[in-house]
Amino acid sequence: MKNWLYPQTVEAVEHACMLYMRGDLQTTDLQAALYKAENEIVAYEEQWLRSLLCDTENSIEEIVFTEASESQAASIKLLILNLLEKIK
């Protein structure tokens, strides 16, 4: 893992993402975890991470309201994989 200014926050995001991928976390709880992490990041050096979390959370919200419920999980999982790849 990188030398994060907020290592516990990044770990919490990764944990929430993995729980969601396993089916052990609801979409709303994943969004809440991303939102919480986004609000914990205040350092200028990691504003890109805050933006990434915000964009991911907003994209999940868009999926929830625009896609059929049968395809939501697959679309959200793609977003999560992209998020995890970018923070590794």
Side-chain angles (χ1 to χ4, degrees):
M1 182 184 291
K2 297 180 182 179
N3 292 324
W4 297 105
L5 296 176
Y6 305 93
Q8 295 87 359
T9 300
V10 173
E11 287 176 17
V13 166
E14 290 174 332
H15 181 69
C17 289
M18 298 313 282
L19 287 174
Y20 182 83
M21 297 293 272
R22 287 195 323 236
D24 295 335
L25 192 67
Q26 297 294 319
T27 302
T28 54
D29 296 326
L30 173 63
Q31 286 179 277
L34 294 176
Y35 183 75
K36 180 180 185 286
E38 171 191 338
N39 286 314
E40 290 176 0
I41 298 172
V42 295
Y44 177 77
E45 297 84 359
E46 290 187 358
Q47 286 300 314
W48 69 271
L49 178 56
R50 184 175 190 194
S51 293
L52 177 63
L53 295 170
C54 180
D55 291 346
T56 303
E57 194 270 329
N58 287 334
S59 294
I60 292 170
E61 187 78 8
E62 183 179 339
I63 288 168
V64 167
F65 285 104
T66 61
E67 290 190 19
S69 53
E70 302 83 40
S71 64
Q72 288 178 6
S75 296
I76 293 170
K77 285 180 180 180
L78 288 175
L79 286 173
I80 297 307
L81 289 173
N82 183 48
L83 172 65
L84 290 172
E85 181 180 309
K86 288 182 178 178
I87 63 174
K88 288 289 177 191

